[in-house]
């Protein structure tokens, strides 16, 4: 059973229109289409990939076999010429025996047996031409200087039946020729040098067919086309090699491996290249990609057809599901909008018995948590208005207001005060005074935060801080003393800059440890966290007695400082206003600082008509009572 409760309160967002339904429909179409299409795509892609790899292996095997066959046939062709030339230089030359005529007959026999030889010259052991026969020129016999290829051949071959293959040249710029020289088994037998017409290699490669349209061709080491099924390309000479540069570069870059590149006509082909040993030729077999991978292309089309069919099925399913799910989703969206607008008391009613109902329940729970969080935030905001910021932070972290309740607790009160501030304020503009106080308060706030103290408030140029209240501290006396020394060092670093600007000022600090009543105090519109007790009065009096750079403390704080290795100096028993008898006062210093000198010329202040429970200085009132300025600096 499906129960829906659409929003009906005033100010509710309007119901979703046709545009939103179309958006929801598109979302379900995409999701369901993806659910159906992705497996089909993965299956089709895997089939295409593995099919491509298998077909590539078959194409590689086919092209390699045809290229190997062409290499073997060319090798047989060259070996046949070399063996035939070897018959012309079997016997050594002997002086005065008239062998020229016999050697001429041997040369003619060789040319008859090998039609590709266009000219043949036989050199004696000294490298001089003795017999020369040609199909295009007159025959020559007798001792002559060696032909153009003779010196190279004679210098390269020194018997033992070695062969030398010269570079491919194009006679009259068209037909390819190559010089082949073969030496006899002995140096005296001489060398046979033949000009070979390479058009006969065309017969070797023209018979090679790779598939229906694939073919093979031969290039030399300079990229010149030696043999091609289209003989006209070979007869064009060097002009024909321009279209084969990309194909040759790709094939030679991965010699012996299948590559995909473009042929001279710009068609994409699969190619493989194998070298011909001894002559630095390369046989390249190619097959168009359209033919080589026709099977893979057909499989890809089948996968695309299945993908299209799956998309149509997904759209049909999405249409039905979108109509069923649109209404509860509209209710959910309207409810989420109300909660997002701050109506945390609003509840969404969806009774579909599925995930949508659980989603509505989760949204309602979220709204309840947001309402509780908002209430807590408002309470903390009110607390921040009545308390000092750092006290409010402590209460927020502790999570209990009882920390602010009044109670008796041992604390360390720390007072600080600027010396000479009254005169400074009288001499300079208020803007300058405000800038000095801003710099002073920045240093003060940083030091208090570092040591985890509670800054209860400012009184003009003075301040009061508590250690061990409201949050307890393991070593309150040592922490307060380190705070005072740290603050004094920071202020002594700041004072030279003030003096450079013409502001004469100093800074003194006093602190004392003892029991006090701590808690919040004030009226309905303003609350402050403070401490009340003689320890506060004593710390204020010590601050008033301290000169620039001094940190004065009582015996409890001094004992903790000595135990921690902080230099402590006894200033001496002093008369402190508001306290009976003389009180032993101590001065603390940083470990690197020199011990403070005893106070001199410090007159005992006049009696104060009552306790003072706040910061006291010569420049500001304390608890509404004027404090006389003690003798000394400031």
């Amino acid at each position: 059973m499906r129960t829906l409760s659409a929003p009906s309160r005033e100010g509710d967002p309007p119901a979703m229109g046709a545009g939103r339904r179309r958006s929801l429909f598109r979302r379900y179409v995409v999701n369901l289409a993806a659910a159906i299409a992705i497996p089909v795509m993965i299956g089709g892609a895997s089939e295409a990939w593995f099919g491509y790899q298998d077909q590539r292996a078959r194409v590689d095997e086919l092209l390699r076999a045809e290229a190997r066959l062409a290499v073997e046939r060319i090798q047989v062709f060259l070996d046949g010429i070399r063996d035939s030339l070897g018959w012309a230089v079997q016997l050594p030359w002997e002086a005065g025996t008239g062998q020229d005529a016999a050697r001429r007959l041997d040369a003619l026999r060789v040319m008859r047996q090998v039609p590709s030889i266009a000219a043949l010259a036989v050199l004696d052991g000294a490298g001089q031409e003795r017999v020369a026969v040609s199909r295009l020129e007159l025959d020559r016999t007798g001792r002559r200087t060696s032909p153009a290829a003779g010196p190279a051949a004679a210098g390269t071959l020194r018997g033992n039946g070695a062969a030398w293959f010269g570079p491919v040249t194009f006679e009259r710029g068209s037909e390819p020729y190559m010089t082949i020289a073969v030496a006899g088994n002995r140096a005296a037998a001489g060398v046979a040098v033949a000009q070979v017409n390479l058009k006969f290699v065309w017969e070797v490669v023209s018979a090679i067919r790779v598939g229906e349209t694939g073919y093979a061709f031969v290039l030399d080491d300079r990229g010149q086309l030696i043999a091609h099924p289209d003989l006209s390309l070979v007869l064009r000479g060097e002009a024909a090699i321009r279209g084969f540069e990309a194909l040759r570069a790709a094939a030679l870059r991965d010699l012996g491996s299948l590559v995909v590149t473009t042929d001279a006509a710009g068609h994409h082909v699969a190619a493989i290249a194998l070298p011909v040993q001894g002559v630095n030729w390369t046989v390249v077999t190619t097959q168009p990609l359209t033919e080589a991978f026709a099977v893979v292309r057909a499989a890809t089309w089948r996968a695309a057809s299945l993908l299209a069919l799956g998309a149509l099925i997904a759209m049909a399913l999405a249409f039905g599901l979108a109509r069923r799910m649109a209404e509860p989703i509209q209710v959910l969206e309207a409810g989420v909008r109300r909660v997002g607008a701050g109506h945390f008391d609003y509840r969404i009613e969806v009774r579909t018995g599925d995930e949508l109902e659980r989603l509505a329940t989760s949204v309602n729970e979220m709204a309840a948590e947001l309402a509780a969080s908002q209430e807590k935030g408002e309470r903390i905001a009110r607390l921040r208005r009545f308390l000092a910021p750092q006290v409010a932070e402590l209460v927020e972290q502790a999570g209990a207001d009882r920390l602010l309740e009044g109670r008796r607790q041992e604390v360390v009160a720390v007072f600080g005060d600027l010396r000479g501030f009254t005169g400074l304020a009288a001499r300079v503009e208020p803007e300058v005074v405000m800038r000095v106080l801003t710099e002073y308060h920045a240093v003060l706030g940083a030091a208090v935060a570092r040591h985890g103290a509670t800054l209860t408030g400012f009184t003009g140029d003075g301040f009061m801080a508590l250690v061990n209240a409201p949050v307890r501290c393991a070593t309150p006396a040592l922490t307060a003393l380190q705070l005072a020394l740290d603050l004094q060092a920071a202020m002594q670093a700041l004072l030279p800059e003030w003096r450079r600007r013409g502001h004469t000022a100093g800074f003194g600090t006093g602190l004392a440890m003892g029991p006090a009543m701590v808690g919040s105090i004030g009226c309905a519109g303003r609350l402050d966290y403070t401490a009340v007790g003689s320890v506060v009065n004593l710390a204020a009096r010590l601050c008033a007695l301290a000169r620039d750079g001094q940190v004065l403390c009582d015996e409890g704080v001094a004992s903790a400082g000595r135990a921690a290795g902080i230099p402590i100096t006894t200033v001496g028993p002093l008369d402190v206003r508001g306290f009976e008898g003389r009180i032993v006062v101590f001065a603390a210093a940083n470990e690197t600082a020199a011990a403070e000198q005893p106070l001199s010329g410090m007159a005992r202040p006049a009696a104060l008509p009552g306790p003072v429970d706040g910061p006291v200085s010569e420049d500001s009132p304390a608890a509404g009572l004027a404090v006389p300025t003690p003798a000394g600096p400031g």
Side-chain angles (χ1 to χ4, degrees), residues 209-386:
R209 282 290 180 266
V210 182
E212 295 182 1
T213 58
Y215 59 91
F217 59 92
V218 183
L219 299 170
D220 67 358
D221 56 345
R222 294 178 297 174
Q224 297 183 112
L225 193 61
I226 300 174
H228 191 277
D230 187 356
L231 186 59
S232 63
L233 293 177
V234 180
L235 297 180
R236 292 175 192 174
E238 297 182 358
I241 69 174
R242 297 189 181 94
F244 294 88
E245 291 176 350
L247 179 57
R248 174 180 178 272
L252 293 181
R253 184 171 56 251
D254 297 314
L255 190 63
S257 301
L258 183 68
V259 296
V260 176
T261 181
T262 56
D263 60 6
H267 301 146
H268 293 282
V269 297
I272 193 168
L274 293 178
V276 180
Q277 300 297 329
V279 291
N280 292 328
W281 292 357
T282 304
V283 174
V284 182
T285 53
T286 65
Q287 186 179 21
L289 290 182
T290 54
E291 178 185 349
F293 296 100
V295 176
V296 178
R297 186 167 61 253
T300 304
W301 278 110
R302 286 195 302 271
S305 301
L306 291 176
L307 179 60
L309 179 60
L312 292 176
I313 296 174
M315 292 177 63
L317 293 176
F319 182 79
L321 289 176
R323 295 186 61 182
R324 179 180 176 82
M325 301 181 67
E327 187 177 356
I329 290 179
Q330 291 174 11
V331 175
L332 279 169
E333 182 180 10
V336 169
R337 285 186 176 182
R338 289 188 61 86
V339 173
H343 302 284
F344 299 138
D345 58 340
Y346 180 76
R347 295 296 178 264
I348 303 174
E349 296 293 336
V350 175
R351 296 291 183 267
T352 57
D354 54 14
E355 288 79 2
L356 292 176
E357 181 178 349
R358 291 198 293 271
L359 178 59
T361 303
S362 299
V363 173
N364 292 334
E365 293 174 354
M366 179 191 67
E369 293 177 359
L370 288 175
S373 177
Q374 183 183 40
E375 181 181 357
K376 180 180 178 182
E378 292 175 353
R379 181 175 59 83
I380 293 176
R382 289 194 300 269
L383 191 64
R384 286 177 180 269
R385 290 204 311 267
F386 301 141

Side-chain angles (χ1 to χ4, degrees), residues 382 385-387 521-528:
R382 289 194 300 269
R385 290 204 311 267
F386 301 141
L387 297 178
I521 189 172
C523 59
R526 172 70 184 182
L527 291 177
D528 286 316

